Amino acid sequence: QSQVMDAVQQKIPCLQGVPMLEWNFFRVMLGYIVTSGLVGGTLVWHFSPKCSWIDALLIALSAVTGSGLSPVEMRDLENESMIVIFVLMCMGGTAMIMQMPMWYRLVAFHRIRTHIEEL
């Protein structure tokens, strides 16, 4: 992993000497939830003109995390927004969230195995 970061720092001159973040499971999950919340909130806001952006963001993040909070009445949202909320609920559901550690461990074990085989 550090070889990849060293290669990135060599290709981009402004990143030389800047400490790079190493991706661990917590950062991957946080990035997944925040990114899907921001994209989903923007889509809900785009499809529902009665809803402000911050309300749409709260609806999307609560759909991804499964908290069920909503600052606006659901009848004020359009059908397209409901579809986006449903997709976000599926993306933040147990089946999808539990796949993230599985893939993370699979990649980590593959890296460990190749490192051990080199020894």
Side-chain angles (χ1 to χ4, degrees):
Q1 187 173 1
S2 64
Q3 293 173 350
V4 173
M5 291 182 191
D6 291 339
V8 168
Q9 286 181 341
Q10 288 176 357
K11 296 282 184 186
I12 305 172
C14 64
L15 292 180
Q16 291 178 354
V18 175
M20 300 291 282
L21 287 177
E22 293 197 20
W23 290 98
N24 58 11
F25 176 69
F26 175 74
R27 289 187 180 132
V28 169
M29 288 303 296
L30 185 66
Y32 174 73
I33 290 172
V34 168
T35 303
S36 51
L38 285 172
V39 171
T42 305
L43 287 173
V44 170
W45 173 67
H46 174 72
F47 290 131
S48 295
K50 294 181 182 179
C51 187
S52 68
W53 187 78
I54 196 73
D55 290 339
L57 182 64
L58 179 63
I59 291 170
L61 283 172
S62 68
V64 170
T65 58
S67 64
L69 300 173
S70 179
V72 297
E73 295 287 331
M74 285 295 138
R75 64 177 172 229
D76 293 338
L77 298 178
E78 301 294 326
N79 290 337
E80 294 86 1
S81 296
M82 294 289 190
I83 293 170
V84 170
I85 291 170
F86 173 73
V87 169
L88 289 172
M89 288 172 67
C90 291
M91 288 175 60
T94 306
M96 197 66 150
I97 292 294
M98 292 310 292
Q99 287 183 5
M100 298 294 277
M102 180 187 68
W103 289 107
Y104 183 79
R105 288 179 185 147
L106 184 68
V107 169
F109 289 150
H110 178 70
R111 288 182 182 165
I112 291 170
R113 190 184 82 207
T114 55
H115 180 68
I116 291 173
E117 288 174 354
E118 290 174 0
L119 295 176

